[in-house]
PDB file of all heavy atoms in Angstrom:
ATOM      1  N   GLY B 101     116.067  73.280  77.807  1.00  0.00           N
ATOM      2  CA  GLY B 101     115.498  74.622  77.934  1.00  0.00           C
ATOM      3  C   GLY B 101     116.562  75.681  77.715  1.00  0.00           C
ATOM      4  O   GLY B 101     117.649  75.405  77.202  1.00  0.00           O
ATOM      5  N   GLY B 102     116.249  76.894  78.143  1.00  0.00           N
ATOM      6  CA  GLY B 102     117.159  78.010  77.930  1.00  0.00           C
ATOM      7  C   GLY B 102     117.943  78.363  79.183  1.00  0.00           C
ATOM      8  O   GLY B 102     117.408  78.329  80.294  1.00  0.00           O
ATOM      9  N   ASP B 103     119.208  78.675  79.008  1.00  0.00           N
ATOM     10  CA  ASP B 103     120.038  79.259  80.064  1.00  0.00           C
ATOM     11  C   ASP B 103     120.634  80.533  79.477  1.00  0.00           C
ATOM     12  O   ASP B 103     121.813  80.620  79.174  1.00  0.00           O
ATOM     13  CB  ASP B 103     121.122  78.277  80.493  1.00  0.00           C
ATOM     14  CG  ASP B 103     121.884  78.773  81.717  1.00  0.00           C
ATOM     15  OD1 ASP B 103     121.522  79.838  82.252  1.00  0.00           O
ATOM     16  OD2 ASP B 103     122.848  78.112  82.133  1.00  0.00           O
ATOM     17  N   ILE B 104     119.743  81.517  79.308  1.00  0.00           N
ATOM     18  CA  ILE B 104     120.038  82.743  78.563  1.00  0.00           C
ATOM     19  C   ILE B 104     119.876  83.924  79.509  1.00  0.00           C
ATOM     20  O   ILE B 104     119.006  83.918  80.387  1.00  0.00           O
ATOM     21  CB  ILE B 104     119.089  82.867  77.353  1.00  0.00           C
ATOM     22  CG1 ILE B 104     119.227  81.616  76.453  1.00  0.00           C
ATOM     23  CG2 ILE B 104     119.380  84.122  76.551  1.00  0.00           C
ATOM     24  CD1 ILE B 104     118.140  81.484  75.433  1.00  0.00           C
ATOM     25  N   VAL B 105     120.699  84.936  79.330  1.00  0.00           N
ATOM     26  CA  VAL B 105     120.761  86.049  80.280  1.00  0.00           C
ATOM     27  C   VAL B 105     119.386  86.672  80.533  1.00  0.00           C
ATOM     28  O   VAL B 105     119.004  86.918  81.670  1.00  0.00           O
ATOM     29  CB  VAL B 105     121.749  87.121  79.773  1.00  0.00           C
ATOM     30  CG1 VAL B 105     121.657  88.379  80.630  1.00  0.00           C
ATOM     31  CG2 VAL B 105     123.174  86.581  79.806  1.00  0.00           C
ATOM     32  N   ASP B 106     118.617  86.930  79.474  1.00  0.00           N
ATOM     33  CA  ASP B 106     117.360  87.669  79.638  1.00  0.00           C
ATOM     34  C   ASP B 106     116.143  86.807  79.334  1.00  0.00           C
ATOM     35  O   ASP B 106     115.102  87.323  78.931  1.00  0.00           O
ATOM     36  CB  ASP B 106     117.368  88.912  78.736  1.00  0.00           C
ATOM     37  CG  ASP B 106     117.553  88.549  77.259  1.00  0.00           C
ATOM     38  OD1 ASP B 106     117.841  87.380  76.968  1.00  0.00           O
ATOM     39  OD2 ASP B 106     117.420  89.452  76.414  1.00  0.00           O
ATOM     40  N   TYR B 107     116.246  85.499  79.526  1.00  0.00           N
ATOM     41  CA  TYR B 107     115.159  84.606  79.138  1.00  0.00           C
ATOM     42  C   TYR B 107     114.880  83.611  80.257  1.00  0.00           C
ATOM     43  O   TYR B 107     115.763  82.877  80.697  1.00  0.00           O
ATOM     44  CB  TYR B 107     115.544  83.868  77.850  1.00  0.00           C
ATOM     45  CG  TYR B 107     114.570  82.791  77.398  1.00  0.00           C
ATOM     46  CD1 TYR B 107     113.450  83.119  76.648  1.00  0.00           C
ATOM     47  CD2 TYR B 107     114.777  81.455  77.709  1.00  0.00           C
ATOM     48  CE1 TYR B 107     112.566  82.142  76.228  1.00  0.00           C
ATOM     49  CE2 TYR B 107     113.905  80.469  77.291  1.00  0.00           C
ATOM     50  CZ  TYR B 107     112.800  80.813  76.548  1.00  0.00           C
ATOM     51  OH  TYR B 107     111.921  79.848  76.136  1.00  0.00           O
ATOM     52  N   ASP B 108     113.645  83.582  80.748  1.00  0.00           N
ATOM     53  CA  ASP B 108     113.182  82.577  81.703  1.00  0.00           C
ATOM     54  C   ASP B 108     114.099  82.480  82.912  1.00  0.00           C
ATOM     55  O   ASP B 108     114.494  81.392  83.320  1.00  0.00           O
ATOM     56  CB  ASP B 108     113.056  81.215  81.006  1.00  0.00           C
ATOM     57  CG  ASP B 108     112.311  80.189  81.882  1.00  0.00           C
ATOM     58  OD1 ASP B 108     111.512  80.608  82.723  1.00  0.00           O
ATOM     59  OD2 ASP B 108     112.540  78.975  81.705  1.00  0.00           O
ATOM     60  N   ARG B 109     114.449  83.604  83.517  1.00  0.00           N
ATOM     61  CA  ARG B 109     115.221  83.591  84.756  1.00  0.00           C
ATOM     62  C   ARG B 109     114.247  83.623  85.928  1.00  0.00           C
ATOM     63  O   ARG B 109     113.206  84.279  85.877  1.00  0.00           O
ATOM     64  CB  ARG B 109     116.171  84.780  84.845  1.00  0.00           C
ATOM     65  CG  ARG B 109     117.026  85.038  83.627  1.00  0.00           C
ATOM     66  CD  ARG B 109     117.840  83.868  83.182  1.00  0.00           C
ATOM     67  NE  ARG B 109     118.914  83.511  84.101  1.00  0.00           N
ATOM     68  CZ  ARG B 109     119.881  82.644  83.813  1.00  0.00           C
ATOM     69  NH1 ARG B 109     119.879  82.022  82.633  1.00  0.00           N
ATOM     70  NH2 ARG B 109     120.839  82.363  84.685  1.00  0.00           N
ATOM     71  N   VAL B 110     114.576  82.930  86.989  1.00  0.00           N
ATOM     72  CA  VAL B 110     113.652  82.749  88.114  1.00  0.00           C
ATOM     73  C   VAL B 110     114.363  83.116  89.413  1.00  0.00           C
ATOM     74  O   VAL B 110     115.407  82.546  89.742  1.00  0.00           O
ATOM     75  CB  VAL B 110     113.157  81.289  88.190  1.00  0.00           C
ATOM     76  CG1 VAL B 110     112.224  81.112  89.391  1.00  0.00           C
ATOM     77  CG2 VAL B 110     112.432  80.906  86.908  1.00  0.00           C
ATOM     78  N   GLU B 111     113.783  84.055  90.148  1.00  0.00           N
ATOM     79  CA  GLU B 111     114.295  84.335  91.486  1.00  0.00           C
ATOM     80  C   GLU B 111     113.836  83.220  92.421  1.00  0.00           C
ATOM     81  O   GLU B 111     112.683  82.808  92.398  1.00  0.00           O
ATOM     82  CB  GLU B 111     113.805  85.694  91.986  1.00  0.00           C
ATOM     83  CG  GLU B 111     114.402  86.866  91.233  1.00  0.00           C
ATOM     84  CD  GLU B 111     114.236  88.185  91.966  1.00  0.00           C
ATOM     85  OE1 GLU B 111     113.879  88.148  93.167  1.00  0.00           O
ATOM     86  OE2 GLU B 111     114.467  89.244  91.354  1.00  0.00           O
ATOM     87  N   THR B 112     114.743  82.738  93.259  1.00  0.00           N
ATOM     88  CA  THR B 112     114.449  81.629  94.156  1.00  0.00           C
ATOM     89  C   THR B 112     114.635  82.061  95.605  1.00  0.00           C
ATOM     90  O   THR B 112     114.924  83.224  95.900  1.00  0.00           O
ATOM     91  CB  THR B 112     115.386  80.443  93.855  1.00  0.00           C
ATOM     92  OG1 THR B 112     116.725  80.794  94.256  1.00  0.00           O
ATOM     93  CG2 THR B 112     115.363  80.083  92.373  1.00  0.00           C
ATOM     94  N   THR B 113     114.518  81.083  96.496  1.00  0.00           N
ATOM     95  CA  THR B 113     114.733  81.333  97.918  1.00  0.00           C
ATOM     96  C   THR B 113     116.126  81.893  98.176  1.00  0.00           C
ATOM     97  O   THR B 113     116.321  82.684  99.100  1.00  0.00           O
ATOM     98  CB  THR B 113     114.549  80.017  98.695  1.00  0.00           C
ATOM     99  OG1 THR B 113     113.261  79.465  98.389  1.00  0.00           O
ATOM    100  CG2 THR B 113     114.645  80.246 100.191  1.00  0.00           C
ATOM    101  N   PHE B 114     117.100  81.507  97.350  1.00  0.00           N
ATOM    102  CA  PHE B 114     118.481  81.899  97.598  1.00  0.00           C
ATOM    103  C   PHE B 114     118.858  83.236  96.954  1.00  0.00           C
ATOM    104  O   PHE B 114     119.922  83.773  97.245  1.00  0.00           O
ATOM    105  CB  PHE B 114     119.434  80.831  97.055  1.00  0.00           C
ATOM    106  CG  PHE B 114     119.360  79.507  97.781  1.00  0.00           C
ATOM    107  CD1 PHE B 114     120.034  78.396  97.290  1.00  0.00           C
ATOM    108  CD2 PHE B 114     118.620  79.364  98.939  1.00  0.00           C
ATOM    109  CE1 PHE B 114     119.978  77.182  97.948  1.00  0.00           C
ATOM    110  CE2 PHE B 114     118.554  78.150  99.609  1.00  0.00           C
ATOM    111  CZ  PHE B 114     119.228  77.049  99.104  1.00  0.00           C
ATOM    112  N   THR B 115     118.020  83.766  96.076  1.00  0.00           N
ATOM    113  CA  THR B 115     118.413  84.938  95.287  1.00  0.00           C
ATOM    114  C   THR B 115     118.761  86.136  96.157  1.00  0.00           C
ATOM    115  O   THR B 115     119.725  86.853  95.896  1.00  0.00           O
ATOM    116  CB  THR B 115     117.296  85.310  94.299  1.00  0.00           C
ATOM    117  OG1 THR B 115     117.075  84.204  93.402  1.00  0.00           O
ATOM    118  CG2 THR B 115     117.675  86.537  93.487  1.00  0.00           C
ATOM    119  N   SER B 116     117.977  86.361  97.216  1.00  0.00           N
ATOM    120  CA  SER B 116     118.238  87.531  98.061  1.00  0.00           C
ATOM    121  C   SER B 116     119.522  87.392  98.862  1.00  0.00           C
ATOM    122  O   SER B 116     120.049  88.373  99.376  1.00  0.00           O
ATOM    123  CB  SER B 116     117.064  87.757  99.016  1.00  0.00           C
ATOM    124  OG  SER B 116     116.921  86.649  99.901  1.00  0.00           O
ATOM    125  N   ILE B 117     120.046  86.158  98.939  1.00  0.00           N
ATOM    126  CA  ILE B 117     121.267  85.929  99.717  1.00  0.00           C
ATOM    127  C   ILE B 117     122.501  85.939  98.820  1.00  0.00           C
ATOM    128  O   ILE B 117     123.470  86.654  99.087  1.00  0.00           O
ATOM    129  CB  ILE B 117     121.184  84.584 100.477  1.00  0.00           C
ATOM    130  CG1 ILE B 117     119.859  84.488 101.265  1.00  0.00           C
ATOM    131  CG2 ILE B 117     122.377  84.444 101.409  1.00  0.00           C
ATOM    132  CD1 ILE B 117     119.645  85.588 102.268  1.00  0.00           C
ATOM    133  N   ASN B 118     122.455  85.146  97.737  1.00  0.00           N
ATOM    134  CA  ASN B 118     123.651  85.048  96.894  1.00  0.00           C
ATOM    135  C   ASN B 118     123.547  85.835  95.596  1.00  0.00           C
ATOM    136  O   ASN B 118     124.497  85.885  94.812  1.00  0.00           O
ATOM    137  CB  ASN B 118     123.975  83.583  96.582  1.00  0.00           C
ATOM    138  CG  ASN B 118     122.844  82.878  95.840  1.00  0.00           C
ATOM    139  OD1 ASN B 118     121.957  83.508  95.274  1.00  0.00           O
ATOM    140  ND2 ASN B 118     122.878  81.551  95.838  1.00  0.00           N
ATOM    141  N   GLY B 119     122.381  86.448  95.338  1.00  0.00           N
ATOM    142  CA  GLY B 119     122.211  87.280  94.153  1.00  0.00           C
ATOM    143  C   GLY B 119     122.030  86.512  92.856  1.00  0.00           C
ATOM    144  O   GLY B 119     121.882  87.123  91.803  1.00  0.00           O
ATOM    145  N   GLU B 120     122.012  85.188  92.901  1.00  0.00           N
ATOM    146  CA  GLU B 120     121.907  84.402  91.678  1.00  0.00           C
ATOM    147  C   GLU B 120     120.450  84.256  91.249  1.00  0.00           C
ATOM    148  O   GLU B 120     119.570  84.020  92.080  1.00  0.00           O
ATOM    149  CB  GLU B 120     122.524  83.017  91.880  1.00  0.00           C
ATOM    150  CG  GLU B 120     124.027  83.068  92.150  1.00  0.00           C
ATOM    151  CD  GLU B 120     124.613  81.689  92.390  1.00  0.00           C
ATOM    152  OE1 GLU B 120     123.848  80.691  92.302  1.00  0.00           O
ATOM    153  OE2 GLU B 120     125.817  81.598  92.682  1.00  0.00           O
ATOM    154  N   VAL B 121     120.201  84.408  89.941  1.00  0.00           N
ATOM    155  CA  VAL B 121     118.864  84.237  89.366  1.00  0.00           C
ATOM    156  C   VAL B 121     118.969  83.129  88.326  1.00  0.00           C
ATOM    157  O   VAL B 121     119.287  83.381  87.165  1.00  0.00           O
ATOM    158  CB  VAL B 121     118.350  85.547  88.731  1.00  0.00           C
ATOM    159  CG1 VAL B 121     116.916  85.367  88.241  1.00  0.00           C
ATOM    160  CG2 VAL B 121     118.426  86.697  89.726  1.00  0.00           C
ATOM    161  N   PRO B 122     118.728  81.879  88.737  1.00  0.00           N
ATOM    162  CA  PRO B 122     118.948  80.756  87.817  1.00  0.00           C
ATOM    163  C   PRO B 122     117.893  80.683  86.729  1.00  0.00           C
ATOM    164  O   PRO B 122     116.843  81.326  86.805  1.00  0.00           O
ATOM    165  CB  PRO B 122     118.872  79.532  88.742  1.00  0.00           C
ATOM    166  CG  PRO B 122     117.973  79.970  89.848  1.00  0.00           C
ATOM    167  CD  PRO B 122     118.264  81.435  90.046  1.00  0.00           C
ATOM    168  N   ALA B 123     118.171  79.867  85.726  1.00  0.00           N
ATOM    169  CA  ALA B 123     117.184  79.598  84.681  1.00  0.00           C
ATOM    170  C   ALA B 123     116.058  78.753  85.259  1.00  0.00           C
ATOM    171  O   ALA B 123     116.257  77.974  86.195  1.00  0.00           O
ATOM    172  CB  ALA B 123     117.844  78.878  83.512  1.00  0.00           C
ATOM    173  N   GLY B 124     114.847  78.899  84.692  1.00  0.00           N
ATOM    174  CA  GLY B 124     113.709  78.125  85.168  1.00  0.00           C
ATOM    175  C   GLY B 124     113.944  76.636  85.101  1.00  0.00           C
ATOM    176  O   GLY B 124     113.461  75.862  85.944  1.00  0.00           O
ATOM    177  N   ILE B 125     114.728  76.194  84.117  1.00  0.00           N
ATOM    178  CA  ILE B 125     115.000  74.771  83.959  1.00  0.00           C
ATOM    179  C   ILE B 125     115.730  74.208  85.178  1.00  0.00           C
ATOM    180  O   ILE B 125     115.531  73.041  85.554  1.00  0.00           O
ATOM    181  CB  ILE B 125     115.831  74.559  82.663  1.00  0.00           C
ATOM    182  CG1 ILE B 125     115.916  73.098  82.301  1.00  0.00           C
ATOM    183  CG2 ILE B 125     117.204  75.154  82.781  1.00  0.00           C
ATOM    184  CD1 ILE B 125     116.619  72.860  80.978  1.00  0.00           C
ATOM    185  N   ALA B 126     116.557  75.030  85.834  1.00  0.00           N
ATOM    186  CA  ALA B 126     117.279  74.571  87.026  1.00  0.00           C
ATOM    187  C   ALA B 126     116.327  74.349  88.196  1.00  0.00           C
ATOM    188  O   ALA B 126     116.549  73.457  89.022  1.00  0.00           O
ATOM    189  CB  ALA B 126     118.358  75.587  87.396  1.00  0.00           C
TER     190      ALA B 126
END
């Protein structure tokens, strides 16, 4: 899949804590 800055990024349970928005594939 894609690990691209503006493509298919997903906010998760951890996003509000560590600020990371991983790719959907992760």
Side-chain angles (χ1 to χ4, degrees):
D103 188 3
I104 303 167
V105 171
D106 58 351
Y107 174 84
D108 191 26
R109 311 305 291 191
V110 179
E111 291 196 13
T112 69
T113 305
F114 293 171
T115 299
S116 63
I117 310 302
N118 60 17
E120 296 178 2
V121 184
I125 191 175

